[in-house]
Amino acid sequence: TKVWQVMDGSNPEMLAEQLEEAAALLRAGELVAFPTETVYGLGADARNTKAVESIFKAKGRPSDNPLIVHIADERQLDELVLPYPELAGRLMKQLWPGPLTLVLPVHPEAVSPLVTAGLSTVGVRMPDHPAALALIQQSGCPVAAPSANRSGRPSPTLAEHVLEDLGGKISGVVDGGATGVGLESTVIELPDSNTIRVLRPGGITAEQLQNAAPEARIDAPAPTTSEVTEAPRSPGMKYTHYAPQGDLVIVQGDRAEAVRYIQEQVNGTRATELKTGVLTFDERTASFDADLVLTYGSEQHLEQAAHRLYAALRRFDAEGVQRIWAEGCSEEGIGLALMNRLAKAAGHQIVRL
Ligand code: TXA
Ligand code: MG
């Protein structure tokens, strides 16, 4: 697995030059991982069935979970999709490039049927990352790319995470340092001309969608704290995801009670010699005594918590932590996506105090 370092502050021409070999490999049907503003993606030419098949193999991904197609230019869209609602056009204009994936009617034969898992729709997005845009542009391909992790593990926010999971199995990785948002894109569909249905909360918040389309009705998933769970609408939402190897429990509710509860659990577990971990906020790191205490950053900055979540989950694995308690947070703004991923990572084990 080759690693191409992209230099900070490279302009588009320099990037094109640095990424020439990576782009040529994509064109030739090889797998190349690359940074986006959300997480690292594992890219392949979306039109090449053999290439797309090797994405599923490398990740160990179930074949009924469709892939997002990444583009660098609005003109690429015409070849990929059939006519779409005017609302979609407005959202793209305002929020692309950015962490928003639109599920649109797929143009027959535009991409390999493996990309859409046989559905009549395709998820498309234009990432807001100079190296991703340069790579896609230079390759000349629509680039199918799931997150570049082994299926079930936390998504990669560093090139090192990609190598940890897929080193030796893919042709290369473009190393652009840490990704920005740290959680995946928001996936939406438009069931009618005035409704935006959020299939997966992510980097674009419900508020941002509402601002981009003030008259639209936003149909967003219920917060994890509500007990009702619906049948998954997006195929990918039904699988175990983002999980560390240790057993993870989320603790929500009154902060003082949460501290007391978690510390009691840690103390009880220590008697069994299992390695314990706590994921908390800066405001309370000093309140815990466990084998490994990690922080999301300040509770006042949930963007930072989103940015750090996956790296923290991977760190617990690296240190062999077997029992982990993570403090939950507000589900406002990016908090909705954060709690969505955390709940999945915990297999929905949530203690409410
Ligand atoms: O931020 C992201 O979206 C990252 C970066 C690499 O772009 N990609 C990513 O891909 O998270 P992946 O494969 O890990 O997640 C794609 C999600 C899955 O939940 C999948 O089910 C959903 O998008 N999806 C893709 N195509 C779909 C479609 N046609 N209809 C409904 N859901 C779809
Ligand atoms: Mg993924």
Side-chain angles (χ1 to χ4, degrees):
T1 301
K2 275 202 131 170
V3 178
W4 300 276
Q5 215 86 41
V6 293
M7 306 303 164
D8 270 354
S10 295
N11 63 42
E13 278 131 61
M14 290 160 72
L15 279 171
E17 209 175 290
Q18 288 161 32
L19 297 176
E20 211 169 304
E21 188 185 13
L25 286 169
L26 271 182
R27 245 187 334 267
E30 304 274 317
L31 301 187
V32 173
F34 59 97
T36 78
E37 81 281 35
T38 58
V39 300
Y40 275 76
L42 178 59
D45 180 351
R47 302 163 301 194
N48 181 334
T49 291
K50 263 219 165 101
V52 175
E53 199 174 10
S54 44
I55 288 184
F56 285 90
K57 267 210 199 103
K59 280 186 58 99
R61 180 178 177 109
S63 61
D64 65 347
N65 192 2
L67 307 179
I68 295 171
V69 177
H70 297 66
I71 59 173
D73 190 312
E74 258 137 54
R75 280 167 299 180
Q76 282 182 286
L77 196 62
D78 301 338
E79 292 169 20
L80 290 175
V81 301
L82 297 174
Y84 49 80
E86 188 262 343
L87 176 59
R90 265 186 297 142
L91 293 173
M92 288 184 241
K93 205 168 222 122
Q94 295 190 61
L95 299 169
W96 276 4
L100 179 70
T101 297
L102 290 107
V103 171
L104 298 172
V106 68
H107 198 295
E109 283 156 48
V111 295
S112 161
L114 295 185
V115 168
T116 57
L119 298 174
S120 59
T121 54
V122 61
V124 189
R125 91 173 187 101
M126 189 187 291
D128 187 15
H129 192 291
L133 292 172
L135 179 68
I136 298 164
Q137 194 91 60
Q138 179 93 347
S139 73
C141 314
V143 176
S147 49
N149 51 287
R150 256 192 301 115
S151 216
R153 298 211 70 207
S155 297
T157 54
L158 290 171
E160 286 77 9
H161 298 160
V162 178
L163 292 168
E164 225 172 78
D165 280 16
L166 301 172
K169 292 185 170 169
I170 62 176
S171 295
V173 51
V174 176
D175 183 354
T179 61
V181 180
L183 300 177
E184 299 80 355
S185 63
T186 301
V187 180
I188 61 165
E189 67 180 3
L190 305 175
D192 60 61
S193 62
N194 200 40
T195 304
I196 301 171
R197 181 179 289 153
V198 177
L199 301 175
R200 177 179 73 177
I204 292 286
T205 63
E207 292 84 342
Q208 284 173 292
L209 290 171
Q210 192 72 81
N211 287 339
E215 75 301 337
R217 200 173 70 84
I218 315 276
D219 176 5
T224 47
T225 37
S226 88
E227 304 291 332
V228 201
T229 41
E230 280 181 66
R233 286 207 198 89
S234 194
M237 300 308 274
K238 69 172 184 264
Y239 295 106
T240 313
H241 259 27
Y242 323 110
Q245 276 140 35
D247 185 66
L248 172 65
V249 173
I250 304 171
V251 182
Q252 268 292 34
D254 180 80
R255 293 314 193 190
E257 272 187 59
V259 168
R260 206 171 322 119
Y261 174 85
I262 291 173
Q263 192 59 52
E264 260 172 38
Q265 298 291 311
V266 168
N267 294 344
T269 304
R270 276 178 151 174
T272 67
E273 289 185 6
L274 290 170
K275 219 171 164 182
T276 57
V278 174
L279 181 54
T280 181
F281 289 91
D282 285 352
E283 286 83 351
R284 285 178 293 287
T285 41
S287 311
F288 295 104
D289 176 24
D291 295 315
L292 184 62
V293 178
L294 297 179
T295 175
Y296 296 102
S298 167
E299 203 163 14
Q300 306 306 313
H301 303 290
L302 288 186
E303 282 76 18
Q304 191 177 41
H307 175 78
R308 288 187 183 182
L309 174 68
Y310 289 144
L313 296 180
R314 281 179 181 262
R315 176 87 192 284
F316 285 121
D317 281 353
E319 307 275 335
V321 175
Q322 293 146 301
R323 292 284 182 275
I324 309 159
W325 289 269
E327 277 197 72
C329 64
S330 138
E331 295 186 65
E332 294 291 306
I334 192 75
L336 182 67
L338 184 63
M339 282 301 295
N340 170 275
R341 303 305 192 275
L342 199 55
K344 281 170 185 285
H348 296 274
Q349 301 186 83
I350 307 178
V351 174
R352 297 186 176 86
L353 298 173

